[in-house]
Amino acid sequence: MRTRNVANPCHLWLRAVFKAMAMVTVLSSTTVADQQPVAPLGYSDRATNRALLKVDFEAEPLTGWSLLAEAGATGQVQREFSPRGDNTNSHSLRLTVMNPGRRCGVCNEGQPGFSVPSGGWYDLAFAARSEQRENNRGYGLTVSLESEDGGQVLARTTIPEVGGDWKNYTVALHAYAAGSKARLVITLSEPGTIWLDDVSLTAREPHTGPSR
Amino acid sequence: MIISANRLKVAVLLLEVSTTFVAMAQRRFDPPPPLPAEEAARQAELGSRGVRLHDPSTIVKCKDEYWIFYTGRDVRSYRSKDLLKWEAGPVVFSNAPAWVAETVPANRSGRDFWAPDVIQVGDRYLLYYSVSSFGKNTSAIGLVTNPTLDPDDPKYQWTDQGVVITSSPRDDFNAIDPALFQDANGSLWMPFGSFWGGIKMIQLDPQTGKRIAPDSPVYGLAHYDSIEAPFIYRHDGKYYLFVNWGFCCRGTNSTYEIRVGRSDKVTGPYRDREGKDLLLGGGMQLLGTEDVFIGPGHAGILKEDDKFWFGFHFYNAAQRGSSTYAIRPLRWDQDGWPVVDRK
């Protein structure tokens, strides 16, 4: 009777192949990470960058975030229980735009004394999702840094497709004007609802301008 | 034979999935319904050439033919002898340029190229094209050159000249939608951009067709909540910047419109008729949705003898929103602002 302790040579080969594949995967992912450092969400990738804002919306009540509605716009901003990923991150900011008017979105007053020099570079990272839409179209989302009273836009950028399941987004902002006590504004250009989470704004040190 | 419940569920799921894909593929490759003759003639009078494309380049002439290039796998083209009847020309690429896979890995096939533009400089044609993926600004604008556009000419050969400019989430622009023009001094400029920080522009070397220096200035020309497809045209000593506002690619729900501003200096500031800077959201409407011509976008101007022609694409409401090419006469009003006539 053949003893069952003798391993089938086929199995040995297969295990060796799978082990090799696993090793290659581990090695290659380490190499890629070294060549292209990617900032983990919410933190700057260089120690010299200044973190201006970092919010996960877990603290209650919601402070510092308010609805921005201009010229006939109507909408709603609230902190909501909407779990995603691990259980520690269970709240997010929900922005609903009913009528976009001239502008409708959410505004964060930021730290007092958040000053923006002309030519300054900023990175905004956030996670977002939207409800399911026809044709799976995302929302056009505009992010801007503005002077305290909103009278002047200091930097602005737009993302054409924000929507679907939770995704991470990163955008760069380049200030073309200077301002003190700047605020962060995020608006939607169409009626709809999005959820935002893990919002972080960092300022790049002046000497680390654009990569090319 | 007893089939386990799990296997049955898997089989049903596979069946559903495959029939959905077949239905989707059918829909994609179904040509839009042909227009009834009367409607086709009416549309033709209003400039529609019945030619289906997206993101047309400026019209370029080679020998006695007109050429346009447009979005599609391998960059596609149309050719015409009279601007009225167009027939499909050859595609530009026969395989993906080597650099695409590494620079824009999210580009599905490495050959999915958007919004090319072409310019003749000296004795060759420079074709710039966009490499990207929807909704992301990890992109690149590439360049290929050819001594001629005529595929029957023995010198016909597209040569890959590599990358002109790239963009990533660290940049405040998206390196797509190139347009090319030469200023009054013969300098070569490339406005480009889509969403993100808006319309930007860099200067190119006319000899190489590439950026004049690796860190040459990136000029900001225009910004809006939804902006792309720039085109600059020099006329009577001024530079006119045409842009698209709104959203493309939604069939009859597309909201594209063409806006314009002008400047005495090629680097701006570009202002609209009311004097509002295009960087601050200014822009005079040149062409919006009208009749069955929904969401006009992607302007190009051709001057022939003393006549100006304005090329653009629109979403045809009479054909399920299929994107179609049109050319209309263009004139300049007494204040020097462009006007697109209906006929």
Side-chain angles (χ1 to χ4, degrees), chain A residues 57 62 76-81 92-96 195:
Chain A
F57 302 109
L62 182 71
Q76 201 184 46
V77 167
Q78 63 191 72
R79 175 176 170 269
E80 197 179 79
F81 178 71
S92 58
L93 184 77
R94 188 184 81 186
L95 165 65
T96 302
W195 286 259

Side-chain angles (χ1 to χ4, degrees), chain A residues 45-46 49 102-103 121 123 133-134 137-142 153 156-161 170-174 176 187 189-190 204 208-212, chain B residues 102 134-137 165-173 194-198 200 211 214-215 218 223-227 247-250 253 279-281:
Chain A
D45 56 345
R46 304 173 85 120
N49 287 359
R102 186 171 66 214
R103 280 212 304 173
W121 282 87
D123 294 293
R133 278 176 99 192
E134 200 188 296
R137 278 288 164 225
Y139 289 99
L141 186 129
T142 300
V153 174
R156 188 163 66 162
T157 196
T158 66
I159 310 174
E161 285 281 317
T170 312
V171 279
L173 287 148
H174 187 196
Y176 38 77
T187 59
S189 52
E190 323 170 67
R204 292 186 210 167
T208 62
S211 45
R212 71 191 67 73
Chain B
E102 197 187 300
F134 211 61
K136 297 191 173 55
N137 78 326
I165 186 167
T166 61
S167 59
S168 80
R170 293 277 294 174
D171 297 305
D172 76 331
F173 54 81
S194 161
F195 288 83
W196 276 275
K200 307 285 185 183
R211 195 169 174 179
D215 270 306
V218 177
H223 193 274
Y224 192 65
D225 279 337
S226 48
I227 188 168
F247 289 87
C248 78
C249 316
R250 297 179 180 187
N253 294 322
L279 259 179
L280 301 174

Side-chain angles (χ1 to χ4, degrees), chain B residues 148-328:
Chain B
T148 176
L149 298 180
D150 175 9
D152 296 319
D153 188 316
K155 290 202 267 67
Y156 179 85
Q157 170 79 48
W158 287 106
T159 305
D160 179 14
Q161 304 292 346
V163 182
V164 179
I165 186 167
T166 61
S167 59
S168 80
R170 293 277 294 174
D171 297 305
D172 76 331
F173 54 81
N174 189 3
I176 65 170
D177 282 4
L180 284 309
F181 75 101
Q182 285 185 279
D183 70 12
N185 304 322
S187 300
L188 185 62
W189 297 90
M190 184 177 82
F192 64 94
S194 161
F195 288 83
W196 276 275
I199 305 302
K200 307 285 185 183
M201 185 168 73
I202 54 173
Q203 189 177 356
L204 308 177
D205 178 351
Q207 298 297 326
T208 61
K210 309 286 273 291
R211 195 169 174 179
I212 48 167
D215 270 306
S216 68
V218 177
Y219 301 94
L221 302 185
H223 193 274
Y224 192 65
D225 279 337
S226 48
I227 188 168
E228 57 188 6
F231 169 69
I232 294 184
Y233 190 73
R234 182 163 64 91
H235 172 74
D236 253 3
K238 294 200 204 308
Y239 297 94
Y240 292 80
L241 169 62
F242 299 82
V243 297
N244 286 358
W245 282 7
F247 289 87
C248 78
C249 316
R250 297 179 180 187
T252 51
N253 294 322
S254 307
T255 53
Y256 258 177
E257 52 178 303
I258 299 177
R259 295 259 165 176
V260 64
R262 75 181 180 196
S263 169
D264 293 323
K265 264 181 24 163
V266 70
T267 49
Y270 286 83
R271 297 186 197 279
D272 65 20
R273 194 172 212 140
E274 264 88 63
K276 190 167 179 194
D277 194 335
L278 263 57
L279 259 179
L280 301 174
M284 177 188 102
Q285 195 196 56
L286 179 69
L287 203 58
T289 289
E290 226 180 69
D291 195 327
V292 297
F293 295 78
I294 299 196
H298 231 108
I301 294 178
L302 170 78
K303 185 173 178 204
E304 271 286 270
D305 306 320
D306 282 316
K307 291 189 72 163
F308 296 89
W309 298 98
F310 189 79
F312 61 99
H313 76 234
F314 67 96
Y315 301 93
N316 196 335
Q319 280 193 307
R320 289 210 301 250
S322 175
S323 66
T324 311
Y325 190 55
I327 306 179
R328 287 202 184 148

